[in-house]
Amino acid sequence: MRPEGEKDTGDDIGPDKKNLGETSMTQVPQIEPEMPKAYEAARAEPKWFRFWLEKDYFRAEIDPDKKPFTIMMPLPNVTGDLHMGHVCFLTPEDILTRWHRMKGDSALWLPGIDHSGIGAQVVVERMLAEEGLTRYDIGREKFLERMHRWADQCRKTITEQEQRLGSSCDWSRERYTLEEGPSRAVRTAFVRLYEKGLIYKGERIINWCPRCATAISDLEVEHKDLNGHLWYVRYPLADGSGYVTVATTRPETILGDTAVAVNPDDERFKDMVGKRVILPAVKREIPIIADSAVDPAFGTGAVKITPQHDPVDFEVAQRHNLPLVNILNGDATMNENAGPYEGMDRFACREAIVADLEKDGSLVKIEPYSHSVGHCFRCQTVIEPLASKQWFVSMKPLAGPAIDAVVDGRIRILPERFVKVYLNWMENIRDWCISRQLWWGHRIPVWYCGKCDGHRIHLRLTDAVLKKHGLAETIHDYSALESAGLGRQEIADSVESGYVDLGTTSIVAVDEPEACPRCESQSLVQDPDVLDTWFSSALWPHSTLGWPDDTRDLRYFYPTSVMETGYDILPFWVARMIVMGLEDMGDIPFHTVYLHGMLRDEKGAKLSKVMGHKINPIDTVDEYGADALRFAIMTGTSPGNDIKLGQEKLEAGRNFANKLWNATRFVVRSIESAGGDLTIDRDHLPREDRWILSRLNRTVSSVTGLLDDFQLGEALRQMHDFLWGEFCDWYIEIAKIRLNPEAGTSPSPIPVLVNVLETSLRLLHPYMPFITEELWQHLGQRLPTDWQPTESIVVAHYPQADTTTFDAEAEPVMESVVEIVRAIRNVRAQHKVEPARWIEAQVFGGELTGSIREHAAAIETLARARPVTFHDSRQPEQASDNDIVLVLKETEVVIPMESMVDMVAERERLGKEIAEVAADVARLEARLKDQAFLSKAPAAVVDRERIRLADRNDRLERLRQELERFS
């Protein structure tokens, strides 16, 4: 077994230990002499990731001259593979990290994996169950060996998946919550809080999960509204003078009642306070008390008090010094205090006790009742409120500074509406139960002395130990066990198998003590519980950087820059990191909290295997490529809103990659065929060149601002619209006209094509890293050796907007040219004009006429229109009734109908269609006047026929109007 805190050097995950980095590459991977016709993501992605790892591009260096940018990865759990939800944080975090790296910042994205406490233990216990075993059958040591093997397997798989998605983490700094560094930080934080009086052990009502066999925090409870019942039960007065009727939603807990309570202001029960009633089923006497916690409007106004199994009742019991009676075992079966119901499951007991109450006349009535019931969020088992001795963190003193940090703006939460959620949670925070009755996790650093406190340490012995020493009683105190000849290891094994009480005298230490500091005895017993997983996660921003040591990493990278995570764990994790960062470091753990939404399908449903969704992201990567998946995840997203993912988005991502590939292939082939100087002569640029350079730099400026403001989805939309629309669909098509040898135009568009494409690839790289690297390398192979100072786009400079290229003259002119061509194309499509047919067009451009006329060749070629004539303004007589007039933003376009269709043939076609539709109308009208049809046909059929008649009449009217145009 590998002990908690020991570094797993055999699985140390540095750049040289990655599956994708097995092949050593000291040079840029070879690029094909000619670009293939299609992009193959499956071939390109692993090639480039290996290269990036070998070059160590992702390592963050401490450089006083650089600004640090730090993100701590939200921790995947060792409960299995990654799922699609993980892509929701991996993608934006990689985008931000790559962007800052290209800006020249020292960008650290620190990866890590969580041991996952309950979640992982449940997985392995299920595996044991398949073998017919429990963890108690194999013992703590063997069980932990199984856990470590499972965790190591998950860690390897998770890291491979993260890399397949393009995650540019500093893999040399990868951390695991059970490693020595984070483990020592956990123990240190515990001891410091304990010494300040902020960690204590006390008996409180906790949430007990019978399936996981442990306490869980309030945040780990999911409340569901269930339809249940309200049972009204008579409790006879002990003096025989009558009875009190109480209402309960859990009749099985009657067995643990220690009082009946009424409101002190409720006149109905004034004479009963102080009397005693007989508890049904077990015939035990309990008092009637008055307490203001009772709601007179609930049930009959008298309520049963079960302090061991209800948080409100527990507080009532504390005020009235009532005893606590536990009726449940840890697995939610009834214990010895349940009398005749001992051994029953809690819900079977409910049925049995209701039947018995009805039989003896104690059950008055049953009413339907809807109420909120807590469930374990991991296994969905109904939780049991249970009074138990647990370890708690006193949160009120810690919450104040964490509230101030958000209120005064030191920490910014995006979107801002979640500030209210955060403050509401923190202002109403309760003490945090941090102990878990598990074996997997950070063991609580508390020891008990068998000599000083031996008579208070009561242990539950295993069957094997009982038989070995001939002991009859299951529970023994420590002193008696030593007298019976049990050794320290046997006693320790008993502690690990379960305990009743470990006494009150404790030794709290970072490192395991060799002896009791009071009596020097070595008979020490460590608390068997482990800490809540979120305790170690709360330390993540500083424990991973070396705390509690004063390391260079900690001084340089802390506070971190951004905490990007899902809004669902704002109170689970984010709030606790703020609390512990301020407590341990005296400073905030991060400046910005960026919250993403939940991942859903295109219909808004939660992704699930049952619904046929692909849960493993690698399945999607194999089909569409990592860049397409990243594109789909970020398209249409905004902070805090749920993310819809479907096939349409994935196909759009793949299509965008193909569009970029084809555009680059065109530019590369143009370079090869033209050769020559690629310098842009800014003094002699045609308008379309000035336009695309202006639009490029405006896009760069806007995207940079959006990234600064964490509007990652909108930034992607603008890049997509510029590249697909303005560059590929318009500029490249115009450039093709100029590159035609017969055009004889000068200067060549190639320098501008290269500049815009290369800049755009760097702009897009953080979002789609693989294809942009592939295309950047193909482009670079055809350019001068000094065209870029870096050998990879990963470390190339992110584009900065050149405001001197903004062109207020070129943009409106070219926008009008594009609008004119698009409008003519739409008309051609609407009238089903054959692609080869040339049509006529008149353009009325007002003040822009002269400038637009300079682009006549582009308009003619792209719109398939010839001749195209240009005029300043249109007079009424310049368009006949048969002409189509298109009113655009700055211009008007007139298209003679005769140029698009054969007028005679079109009139004949319309006449035939009018006759067919008119016949349909006549038939439907006759049917709807037929009384026999109207009286016999279902109403839905009649309504459907009326809708059809209305549709046919509308169609007939439109056809007649169209024919009139051709007359």
Side-chain angles (χ1 to χ4, degrees):
M1 183 186 83
R2 185 168 64 256
E4 169 201 329
E6 181 177 313
K7 181 73 174 182
D8 176 14
T9 55
D11 194 35
D12 183 12
I13 307 178
D16 57 338
K17 295 291 182 72
K18 294 299 171 212
N19 284 2
L20 293 179
E22 290 174 356
T23 303
S24 178
M25 292 186 181
T26 56
Q27 302 297 326
V28 177
Q30 186 175 0
I31 301 297
E32 299 90 337
E34 182 175 351
M35 282 185 70
K37 291 184 178 180
Y39 174 58
E40 298 178 32
R43 179 191 58 81
E45 290 174 358
K47 170 184 69 177
W48 289 117
F49 206 90
R50 282 196 300 269
F51 171 65
W52 296 335
L53 286 176
E54 289 297 323
K55 286 295 185 179
D56 215 10
Y57 288 141
F58 305 154
R59 185 186 294 272
E61 301 294 345
I62 296 175
D63 186 343
D65 296 329
K66 287 185 177 182
K67 179 183 176 182
F69 175 81
T70 315
I71 290 184
M72 298 293 175
M73 178 188 290
L75 306 172
N77 295 318
V78 290
T79 50
D81 298 343
L82 292 185
H83 54 74
M84 289 295 283
H86 290 95
V87 188
C88 293
F89 71 75
L90 290 170
T91 303
E93 289 175 24
D94 192 46
I95 289 168
L96 291 170
T97 303
R98 288 179 181 270
W99 174 50
H100 278 273
R101 185 182 294 119
M102 294 176 76
K103 285 173 62 179
D105 296 339
S106 184
L108 170 61
W109 182 18
L110 194 146
I113 298 177
D114 197 295
H115 64 280
S116 184
I118 296 177
Q121 178 160 321
V122 167
V123 171
V124 175
E125 285 196 86
R126 284 174 181 163
M127 295 178 184
L128 285 174
E130 292 175 359
E131 303 172 25
L133 298 171
T134 69
R135 56 173 161 145
Y136 300 106
D137 292 330
I138 64 175
R140 188 165 191 150
E141 184 174 356
K142 293 293 184 184
F143 179 76
L144 291 179
E145 288 178 2
R146 293 281 291 260
M147 288 297 312
H148 280 295
R149 287 199 300 270
W150 167 253
D152 290 346
Q153 175 186 332
C154 288
R155 289 170 62 195
K156 183 175 183 295
T157 301
I158 288 169
T159 300
E160 290 172 356
Q161 289 180 297
E162 289 169 343
Q163 294 188 343
R164 286 288 305 275
L165 293 163
S167 302
S168 64
C169 306
D170 184 343
W171 297 104
S172 68
R173 285 183 167 91
E174 187 177 42
R175 295 292 179 266
Y176 174 49
T177 49
L178 286 184
E179 287 177 348
E180 170 53 32
S183 294
R184 187 162 64 91
V186 165
R187 298 192 301 272
T188 302
F190 184 99
V191 171
R192 285 165 53 119
L193 290 171
Y194 179 84
E195 290 174 346
K196 288 184 177 183
L198 296 174
I199 281 184
Y200 64 92
K201 191 172 188 179
E203 188 168 36
R204 298 284 185 277
I205 289 287
I206 51 90
N207 306 296
W208 180 265
C209 175
R211 165 62 188 83
C212 299
T214 184
I216 59 176
S217 71
D218 293 339
L219 284 171
E220 294 168 305
V221 178
E222 289 183 0
H223 287 89
K224 301 179 182 180
D225 290 329
L226 300 181
N227 293 322
H229 297 91
L230 201 56
W231 285 271
Y232 288 78
V233 182
R234 286 175 176 161
Y235 284 43
L237 289 167
D239 60 10
S241 61
Y243 58 83
V244 176
T245 300
V246 302
T248 179
T249 59
R250 297 192 297 160
E252 70 278 10
T253 61
I254 288 174
L255 305 170
D257 288 357
T258 57
V260 168
V262 297
N263 192 288
D265 298 325
D266 194 332
E267 295 294 332
R268 295 172 295 174
F269 302 103
K270 252 188 172 16
D271 296 337
M272 289 190 178
V273 175
K275 291 187 176 184
R276 299 177 73 81
V277 295
I278 298 173
L279 197 61
V282 290
K283 310 305 180 185
R284 176 162 42 88
E285 283 193 17
I286 57 176
I288 300 175
I289 62 173
D291 194 282
S292 58
V294 178
D295 179 4
F298 177 77
T300 64
V303 297
K304 55 193 287 301
I305 301 298
T306 318
Q308 181 71 26
H309 301 284
D310 185 275
V312 175
D313 293 1
F314 180 85
E315 293 175 1
V316 171
Q318 297 297 301
R319 289 194 289 271
H320 295 270
N321 198 29
L322 297 175
L324 277 62
V325 177
N326 180 23
I327 60 171
L328 289 174
N329 296 312
D331 60 358
T333 58
M334 311 307 290
N335 66 16
E336 62 275 10
N337 293 323
Y341 308 100
E342 182 179 2
M344 286 186 178
D345 174 76
R346 54 181 165 166
F347 298 122
C349 176
R350 177 179 298 178
E351 294 179 5
I353 199 169
V354 167
D356 290 345
L357 291 170
E358 188 172 22
K359 188 185 301 181
D360 68 14
S362 298
L363 185 64
V364 178
K365 62 178 178 177
I366 304 173
E367 291 180 348
Y369 186 73
S370 177
H371 61 137
S372 181
V373 178
H375 292 70
C376 173
F377 91 109
R378 289 183 179 84
C379 66
Q380 296 304 306
T381 301
V382 175
I383 64 102
E384 283 290 341
L386 188 69
S388 174
K389 286 186 177 179
Q390 301 285 342
W391 288 97
F392 294 86
V393 177
S394 181
M395 293 300 294
K396 284 287 185 185
L398 297 169
I403 291 171
D404 293 342
V406 171
V407 171
D408 65 24
R410 282 176 289 153
I411 295 177
R412 178 188 180 198
I413 298 179
L414 298 174
E416 290 186 358
R417 67 178 184 271
F418 283 99
V419 171
K420 185 177 181 181
V421 176
Y422 172 84
L423 294 178
N424 181 64
W425 171 255
M426 297 300 286
E427 288 166 356
N428 297 283
I429 201 162
R430 298 169 60 183
D431 285 357
W432 174 16
C433 176
I434 56 171
S435 49
R436 298 290 181 269
Q437 287 64 58
L438 304 171
W439 289 355
W440 177 244
H442 294 101
R443 191 88 171 257
I444 289 178
V446 176
W447 289 262
Y448 305 91
C449 176
K451 185 174 181 181
C452 294
D453 218 9
H455 62 288
R456 295 193 188 94
I457 302 177
H458 294 84
L459 306 179
R460 189 185 304 275
L461 301 184
T462 62
D463 290 341
V465 172
L466 289 172
K467 289 179 181 179
K468 178 180 177 181
H469 294 276
L471 299 172
E473 297 295 327
T474 304
I475 300 172
H476 293 264
D477 67 55
Y478 194 100
S479 301
L481 292 177
E482 283 194 321
S483 300
L486 272 74
R488 288 184 61 194
Q489 188 57 51
E490 286 182 307
I491 295 175
D493 290 340
S494 297
V495 173
E496 293 169 358
S497 298
Y499 66 94
V500 177
D501 191 2
L502 287 177
T504 57
T505 307
S506 55
I507 304 160
V508 181
V510 173
D511 299 313
E512 181 175 0
E514 295 182 359
C516 174
R518 290 176 290 276
C519 70
E520 298 186 356
S521 169
Q522 295 183 350
S523 299
L524 302 180
V525 178
Q526 185 173 2
D527 195 304
D529 288 354
V530 299
L531 287 164
D532 179 8
T533 305
W534 294 106
F535 190 89
S536 56
S537 300
L539 313 180
W540 198 242
H542 53 286
S543 68
T544 51
L545 296 174
W547 187 88
D549 295 333
D550 182 21
T551 65
R552 293 178 67 234
D553 273 6
L554 192 62
R555 290 195 299 271
Y556 184 72
F557 291 111
Y558 190 95
T560 66
S561 307
V562 179
M563 171 44 61
E564 195 285 337
T565 190
Y567 64 67
D568 56 320
I569 57 174
L570 177 61
F572 271 102
W573 190 36
V574 177
R576 288 166 173 168
M577 282 189 287
I578 295 173
V579 163
M580 295 308 297
L582 289 165
E583 171 64 20
D584 292 338
M585 294 293 298
D587 199 356
I588 58 173
F590 29 72
H591 297 286
T592 301
V593 177
Y594 174 98
L595 300 172
H596 66 253
M598 305 295 288
L599 186 63
R600 304 185 181 277
D601 69 11
E602 59 268 37
K603 297 179 181 178
K606 186 178 179 181
L607 298 188
S608 70
K609 289 182 180 178
V610 175
M611 298 298 292
H613 299 122
K614 288 184 178 178
I615 301 302
N616 190 326
I618 303 308
D619 294 338
T620 303
V621 170
D622 289 340
E623 183 174 357
Y624 295 95
D627 286 330
L629 174 57
R630 292 162 64 108
F631 176 93
I633 287 290
M634 297 309 301
T635 296
T637 62
S638 58
N641 290 333
D642 287 350
I643 302 163
K644 290 185 177 181
L645 177 67
Q647 184 177 346
E648 184 177 343
K649 275 190 175 182
L650 291 164
E651 289 176 350
R654 183 170 58 189
N655 292 343
F656 185 40
N658 290 336
K659 187 83 168 181
L660 294 172
W661 182 266
N662 291 331
T664 304
R665 193 163 179 263
F666 167 75
V667 173
V668 164
R669 294 172 71 179
S670 299
I671 297 171
E672 292 170 342
S673 62
D677 186 10
L678 295 176
T679 304
I680 295 176
D681 184 357
R682 293 277 294 273
D683 296 329
H684 301 88
L685 287 177
R687 183 180 287 108
E688 61 265 28
D689 289 357
R690 290 187 283 113
W691 164 68
I692 199 64
L693 289 171
S694 179
R695 290 299 306 130
L696 168 68
N697 282 283
R698 287 193 193 276
T699 302
V700 170
S701 176
S702 180
V703 165
T704 301
L706 290 166
L707 288 173
D708 275 327
D709 199 34
F710 297 94
Q711 297 294 331
L712 307 187
E714 176 60 16
L716 177 58
R717 185 194 67 77
Q718 292 192 13
M719 286 186 282
H720 172 270
D721 289 355
F722 170 76
L723 278 163
W724 187 297
E726 292 170 307
F727 183 61
C728 293
D729 281 354
W730 295 107
Y731 182 75
I732 285 181
E733 293 307 310
I734 294 171
K736 286 178 180 178
I737 299 170
R738 289 166 58 189
L739 288 171
N740 188 332
E742 297 178 1
T745 56
S746 181
S748 169
I750 291 176
V752 174
L753 280 167
V754 170
N755 177 274
V756 174
L757 176 59
E758 191 277 331
T759 304
S760 298
L761 291 175
R762 285 186 284 123
L763 188 70
L764 182 63
H765 172 74
Y767 287 79
M768 303 177 76
F770 293 108
I771 191 168
T772 50
E773 180 75 273
E774 178 85 1
L775 296 177
W776 196 78
Q777 297 291 349
H778 273 289
L779 192 61
Q781 185 170 282
R782 279 83 178 176
L783 298 177
T785 55
D786 59 350
W787 75 291
Q788 273 290 344
T790 63
E791 62 179 351
S792 171
I793 196 172
V794 170
V795 288
H797 295 302
Y798 199 73
Q800 291 183 319
D802 181 357
T803 58
T804 64
T805 66
F806 292 178
D807 199 314
E809 186 277 336
E811 288 192 37
V813 173
M814 293 307 300
E815 285 171 7
S816 291
V817 170
V818 168
E819 189 180 28
I820 290 165
V821 174
R822 183 182 288 120
I824 296 173
R825 285 175 172 177
N826 289 341
V827 170
R828 291 178 65 105
Q830 180 182 349
H831 291 274
K832 299 180 176 62
V833 179
E834 301 92 334
R837 186 183 184 110
W838 291 85
I839 66 173
E840 298 178 20
Q842 300 172 15
V843 176
F844 300 89
E847 295 179 355
L848 297 179
T849 300
S851 299
I852 294 173
R853 183 183 288 112
E854 296 174 17
H855 300 280
I859 294 173
E860 289 181 351
T861 303
L862 299 179
R864 198 73 177 166
R866 186 181 299 155
V868 177
T869 58
F870 298 88
H871 313 274
D872 290 337
S873 59
R874 181 173 68 86
Q875 301 302 318
E877 66 273 9
Q878 288 180 281
S880 69
D881 292 340
N882 284 339
D883 291 345
I884 296 175
V885 179
L886 306 172
V887 180
L888 308 180
K889 183 179 178 182
E890 300 290 344
T891 63
E892 289 186 6
V893 178
V894 176
I895 302 174
M897 184 61 73
E898 293 89 342
S899 72
M900 291 200 300
V901 296
D902 184 323
M903 301 290 285
V904 174
E906 188 65 11
R907 281 195 292 267
E908 290 179 359
R909 184 189 69 79
L910 289 170
K912 287 180 181 179
E913 188 171 353
I914 288 170
E916 291 173 359
V917 176
D920 285 345
V921 169
R923 179 180 58 79
L924 289 167
E925 285 178 340
R927 192 173 196 190
L928 290 168
K929 290 177 182 177
D930 184 350
Q931 292 302 315
F933 169 74
L934 294 175
S935 61
K936 294 179 181 179
V941 173
V942 175
D943 289 343
R944 186 166 64 244
E945 293 298 89
R946 284 176 177 153
I947 292 171
R948 288 181 63 194
L949 176 59
D951 289 343
R952 293 281 81 189
N953 272 321
D954 179 65
R955 176 65 177 159
L956 183 61
E957 178 62 25
R958 286 187 284 110
L959 287 170
R960 285 170 174 166
Q961 291 175 1
E962 188 76 4
L963 179 61
E964 190 176 336
R965 294 178 58 202
F966 287 92
S967 300

